[in-house]
Amino acid sequence: MAKKEETKIEKEKKENKNKHEVSVKIDGDAWKKALDRVFNKKQKTVSVDGFRKGKVPRNVYEKKFGKESLYLDAADDVLPDAYQKAMDDSKLEPVVQPEVNLKNIGEDGVEFTFKIITKPEVKINKYKGLNIKPEKIEVTEDEINHELGHLLERYTELVTKDGKAEKGNIAIIDFEGFKDGVAFDGGKGENYSLEIGSNTFIPGFEDQIIGMKAGDEKDINLSFPEDYHVKDLAGAPVVFKVKVNEVKEKKQRELDEDFFDDLGMEGIDSEEKLRNEIKGSIKAQKEMDAENKYVDAILEGVSKNVDVDIPEEMVNEEVNRLMDRFKEQMKMQGISLDLYYQFTGSTEEQLKSQMEKEAFNNVLYRLMIDEIKVMEKVVITDEEADKEADELAKKYNMKKDEFLNQFGGLEMVKYDLEVRKVVELLKEYNK
């Protein structure tokens, strides 16, 4: 049955239901003490003619700089207390970091307003009997052969070749690039191993290496692509002076005793055992992927039966969390976000926009799981969480305190167990 279209007023009421504004004023003795603390800090660094640092009297300081110069720092000083008072007085539980605004400030005190977003109401109409089945797992001979081919490729031997370079060969080259007769930055290399056909260099470069032999030298004329990331070189005609030092070709390995020795896999000394090992590895990866897809399918199925209005602030905060995670992933690859934007021709706004759907689903699924946890009366005791923390610390070869500090404490372990228990219930209910 279609939902009745909401009026603008009804929609605004829904959106505002979880948005609260709380005002807190800090005045009197608390404000006076904050001003004193700020002055004592500034007094140690401020310079006033006729006085040593740290010895400027309060009245002299205020005459020279004005009382107002202390106000903003004093506001920062009392902000934590003001926030705690807002939480205590309102009894609200924010789901995102509250937005704070300075409403009034002066000699008599400061007043803040906190915009607090609370958890939205979640109504789950159905989460059982969705008849969602896990994907059946099968490992084919083609998949085993494909992985075996990759493995043989990784252990391929390179042997020196007397003849001409062909596609698939490795050419060991010296090169230097020139634009208008002048060498350009980043265009020089020595004893560089270039696989012909890998498309590592700009289009046309590798094709012109084909046919060269060890000792051959050649000028390669070509142009950089119009969309090349270095503006000065984009679309520019250049000359690369190239010398081939050596040509190598790949020698396919045989599944013999030497190969198994080089492989170094315990108990693997025949093709049959290796194929069984590969099959088990593929199966394990497929099972893990299928399990993740299965859980996602169940959560997506439940989400179609949920009524909830998610505040945009919750989604925005999740987008920022995903951005931080992406930034760390890029950092591990030695790439900054600025460099990523340059390579991809994208912007921070575009990247955030791409993450919005994932962020929305993450928030929605968390809210769903939290509601089902209440409906199913899922409870994890401190003892269960403590035992799990012990096991995880051992698994990651860490001290328990160190693990808990990185994981977010025992409450996070407890929450993780609760989520896993809800997921197991959903799998049981929707077979």
Side-chain angles (χ1 to χ4, degrees):
M1 186 172 69
K3 291 184 179 179
K4 180 175 75 72
E5 189 173 344
E6 293 178 341
T7 67
K8 183 178 179 181
I9 294 175
E10 286 173 331
K11 189 175 181 181
E12 286 178 352
K13 281 183 177 179
K14 264 189 175 180
E15 289 175 346
N16 292 329
K17 188 176 180 181
N18 305 105
K19 298 180 180 180
H20 314 266
E21 193 171 277
V22 178
S23 293
V24 174
K25 188 170 185 179
I26 304 294
D27 54 15
D29 193 50
W31 181 241
K32 181 179 179 299
K33 287 181 179 179
L35 291 170
D36 289 343
R37 286 193 294 271
V38 169
F39 169 71
N40 288 335
K41 287 181 181 178
K42 286 184 174 291
Q43 185 191 41
K44 294 174 183 177
T45 58
V46 73
S47 296
V48 176
D49 291 343
F51 298 93
R52 287 180 296 154
K53 283 185 179 180
K55 299 297 182 180
V56 181
R58 179 75 166 265
N59 64 325
V60 173
Y61 173 89
E62 291 181 353
K63 185 176 180 180
K64 180 175 177 61
F65 299 102
K67 294 180 180 180
E68 299 81 2
S69 64
L70 302 174
Y71 293 166
L72 289 178
D73 286 339
D76 288 339
D77 183 86
V78 299
L79 182 56
D81 291 338
Y83 172 69
Q84 189 59 54
K85 181 173 172 56
M87 296 300 101
D88 294 342
D89 291 351
S90 67
K91 308 298 182 186
L92 297 172
E93 295 184 13
V95 289
V96 297
Q97 188 65 34
E99 178 185 314
V100 59
N101 290 297
L102 188 61
K103 189 174 182 180
N104 290 302
I105 191 168
E107 186 176 2
D108 296 330
V110 62
E111 186 174 6
F112 300 99
T113 57
F114 295 92
K115 183 180 177 183
I116 301 172
I117 310 297
T118 55
K119 190 175 181 179
E121 181 182 349
V122 182
K123 183 182 179 184
I124 301 180
N125 301 304
K126 183 178 181 180
Y127 64 93
K128 298 179 181 180
L130 297 177
N131 195 30
I132 298 172
K133 306 294 183 184
E135 178 185 326
K136 290 185 178 179
I137 299 302
E138 180 185 359
V139 180
T140 68
E141 286 299 308
D142 283 345
E143 289 172 326
I144 296 172
N145 290 335
H146 182 74
E147 287 304 312
L148 181 57
H150 275 309
L151 190 61
L152 287 168
E153 180 73 18
R154 286 203 299 273
Y155 283 85
T156 295
E157 292 180 337
L158 293 177
V159 295
T160 300
K161 177 182 178 180
D162 290 332
K164 298 176 181 180
E166 300 176 284
K167 192 170 183 178
N169 290 167
I170 309 295
I172 313 301
I173 62 173
D174 295 339
F175 63 90
E176 186 169 14
F178 296 84
K179 177 189 172 186
D180 298 328
V182 179
F184 54 83
D185 290 341
K188 184 177 182 179
E190 293 182 353
N191 287 318
Y192 184 89
S193 295
L194 175 65
E195 181 176 352
I196 310 301
S198 65
N199 298 318
T200 305
F201 276 33
I202 59 176
F205 186 97
E206 294 171 26
D207 291 341
Q208 295 191 54
I209 299 294
I210 294 174
M212 296 181 71
K213 298 179 295 183
D216 286 354
E217 296 185 25
K218 184 178 184 179
D219 285 355
I220 293 178
N221 294 274
L222 40 75
S223 295
F224 276 93
E226 294 290 343
D227 60 352
Y228 193 65
H229 64 274
V230 179
K231 282 187 177 182
D232 289 345
L233 296 175
V238 294
V239 177
F240 281 94
K241 294 187 177 298
V242 178
K243 179 184 178 183
V244 175
N245 298 319
E246 189 178 6
V247 177
K248 294 185 177 183
E249 60 183 344
K250 297 176 182 179
K251 181 182 178 183
Q252 183 71 43
R253 295 294 298 271
E254 299 292 332
L255 292 171
D256 54 19
E257 186 177 343
D258 288 340
F259 175 74
F260 295 122
D261 285 344
D262 290 345
L263 197 58
M265 296 174 66
E266 188 175 352
I268 306 299
D269 55 9
S270 69
E271 181 177 353
E272 181 183 2
K273 289 180 181 179
L274 178 57
R275 293 180 73 87
N276 285 336
E277 178 71 19
I278 291 172
K279 182 178 182 179
S281 178
I282 295 173
K283 185 181 179 184
Q285 184 61 52
K286 279 192 165 189
E287 286 174 344
M288 186 170 69
D289 292 342
E291 172 71 6
N292 291 334
K293 287 181 183 177
Y294 180 43
V295 172
D296 284 344
I298 291 174
L299 292 173
E300 184 181 357
V302 175
S303 72
K304 294 175 182 177
N305 299 281
V306 173
D307 293 326
V308 60
D309 288 288
I310 299 176
E312 64 178 349
E313 290 85 354
M314 292 184 72
V315 179
N316 291 339
E317 184 166 270
E318 179 64 12
V319 167
N320 290 333
R321 189 189 70 81
L322 293 176
M323 283 288 291
D324 288 341
R325 186 179 72 180
F326 182 77
K327 183 178 179 180
E328 286 303 310
Q329 290 171 344
M330 290 295 99
K331 187 177 179 181
M332 290 174 67
Q333 297 176 38
I335 301 173
S336 68
L337 280 185
D338 287 340
L339 197 57
Y340 171 82
Y341 297 141
Q342 183 179 330
F343 283 162
T344 59
S346 61
T347 64
E348 180 177 335
E349 290 72 23
Q350 290 172 331
L351 184 57
K352 283 186 173 182
S353 179
Q354 292 169 15
M355 292 178 173
E356 282 179 0
K357 184 177 180 181
E358 181 183 355
F360 180 87
N361 285 337
N362 288 351
V363 174
L364 174 59
Y365 293 168
R366 282 202 298 267
L367 291 171
M368 284 165 29
I369 288 171
D370 286 348
E371 183 63 19
I372 295 171
K373 183 176 68 176
V374 174
M375 296 169 74
E376 291 288 336
K377 298 181 174 59
V378 173
V379 177
I380 300 295
T381 65
D382 288 344
E383 289 75 19
E384 289 174 305
D386 196 61
K387 182 181 177 183
E388 177 71 3
D390 282 331
E391 292 175 358
L392 289 172
K394 289 177 184 176
K395 178 181 177 180
Y396 295 112
N397 196 26
M398 298 170 68
K399 292 181 180 179
K400 185 177 177 181
D401 289 346
E402 182 185 356
F403 166 77
L404 286 173
N405 184 53
Q406 290 193 21
F407 197 77
L410 197 63
E411 285 303 310
M412 279 302 298
V413 176
K414 187 182 292 187
Y415 180 74
D416 185 60
L417 284 172
E418 289 169 346
V419 169
R420 282 153 56 186
K421 193 166 185 178
V422 169
V423 169
E424 289 304 313
L425 285 172
L426 288 173
K427 288 161 62 176
E428 185 67 27
Y429 290 151
N430 292 288
K431 286 182 178 178

